Amino acid sequence: MSVEPRSNFLRTQIQADLESARVSALVTRFPPEPNGYLHLGHAKSISVNFGLAEQFGGHCHLRFDDTNPEKESQEFIDSIQEDVRWLGYQWQGEVRYASAYFNQLYEWAMYLIDQRLAYVCDLSAEEARDYRGTLTEPGRNSPFRERSVDESRDLFARMRQGEFAEGARVLRAKIDMGAANMNLRDPILYRIRHASHHQTGTEWPIYPTYDFAHGQEDAIEGITHSICTLEFEDHRPLYEWFVEHLPVPHTPRQIEFARLNTSYTITSKRKLKQLVDEEVVIGWDDPRLPTIAGLRRRGYPAAAIRHFCEEVGTSRSDSTADVAMLESAVRDHLNQSAPRRMCVMKPLRVTLTNLPDTLLLDVRNHPADLDFGSRQLSMGAELFIDQDDFREEANKHFKRLVLGKRVRLRGGLVIEADRCDKDAEGEVTQVFARCVTSVPGADPEDGLKPKGVIHWVSADEAVPATIRRYDRLFGVPEPAREQDLMAAVNPHSLIVIDTAMIEPGLVNATPEAGVSV
Ligand code: ATP
Ligand code: MG
């Protein structure tokens, strides 16, 4: 099942850029920061960037934006690569790292100092905040702004040598402290951080800011279209300033689109981390989390996630997609792609009083698609059905097994219930029934056809299993707006059923390999 790419403003823009030969081949990138697991929002960004490259015969890079070493780790780097691949995409060439460009970025910072477009500033963080002004008031020039080129060069080189303490000084661009756009008020380019980095070790005691690194990384890699989310719109003038004032090899074009928000879902890494750290869920790959790893464990097909990302569309206005759209895409995909197996959650023993021999049944693996083939199940005199599938009495809306009535066992015979045993509390403990057909799939000869079909397992061959039934993690449609996120957690989001009995063939089933047919 695939969805046709629909027209959207990104596709229109790229098409126009290719037709006008402004660019000769599309190059996009997905630039995650390796400080958490990817989530559904990232899946949207991945499907946009890799999807566009696929559609227009271009390339997409995977680049780790690793300028913040304290929060990053190899665990996240590994999981992100696995998730992108699992979603069905492959990046062009090797995985890339912002940290691989640290030397180039350092040289460009020196270049800006030489051009009198950057200076080392010794204001403390608090003073700098004060000098920065507000949305309604312009900022004031730092007293260090007119420092000589030589002095800034010397101080910056010594920052790089690790001579100064964290927070002692920063390198800033010299743009305009009166700019209405706060991002242009002499933004920070480099900070001192005596932190070890997962890629560069202890080589660098200074790190570029995201703003100084990001656009230049795109320029180095020849990214033609830097697609990002709307919160970076206000940063675009700054990125353009850098590209204009630095000898970069290439000019990327930034286009913003609205983030994907989904109802009943949290897609903030900080909040997801809180759920993991406070053990509300079992880990980053808990099936209730909207992380790609969680969705994968929950059994969501990658194709269904891609389908959802396409179906919600790509626009420049913020909106929230209904999570039911995702759930419905998952059901549609699984309905077509999943081989069927039987399991009973709360077993109720059924004894077939007139079955002379165990029957070997050939049961179809898919109700509609014969290509899934069939499997053999044996049906003896002792079976389990689900407790909920039996009632002593019921009206005609209950289409399952009722005393004195008939039901079809999926893939097997038609049976009629004669009597049942009960325990001291009045709970039914066993049902005695008769087979009223002898050929699997056939209708009773007396013409009294059963209305319903129920599932079952053989009491002799079924295997006990623990079933985890997952529901939405939050009981409210907009959990991100809750004051107390923890109070919004659905207490029934995980129900563990340890009484289940499953078909023997399910024992070695895995989400990756499925079941052996
Ligand atoms: P968070 O807001 O959870 O910290 P982030 O956006 O900072 O996430 P990054 O690792 O920087 O996380 O994201 C990598 C890419 O994914 C960025 O280009 C970002 O714009 C995009 N992205 C993140 N969340 C969403 C979302 N909800 N919808 C679309 N794109 C997203
Ligand atoms: Mg980010």
Side-chain angles (χ1 to χ4, degrees), residues 91-113:
W91 49 92
Q92 195 257 336
E94 297 288 310
V95 169
R96 293 152 213 256
Y97 294 88
S99 53
Y101 312 131
F102 280 174
N103 275 319
Q104 175 68 80
L105 291 168
Y106 178 77
E107 278 173 29
W108 280 340
M110 278 293 188
Y111 177 91
L112 287 178
I113 295 175

Side-chain angles (χ1 to χ4, degrees), residues 29-35 38-46 49 65 80 210 214 227-232 257-261 267-270 272:
R29 84 288 181 262
F30 173 61
E33 198 181 334
N35 61 353
L38 296 182
H39 54 60
L40 194 54
H42 295 118
K44 174 68 192 171
S45 178
I46 291 168
N49 282 297
D65 244 313
I80 289 170
Y210 180 86
H214 198 76
I227 295 158
C228 62
T229 37
L230 280 174
E231 70 270 24
F232 293 104
F257 72 100
R259 295 175 84 85
L260 169 66
N261 300 305
T267 48
S268 143
K269 271 187 227 164
R270 189 178 55 77
L272 292 172

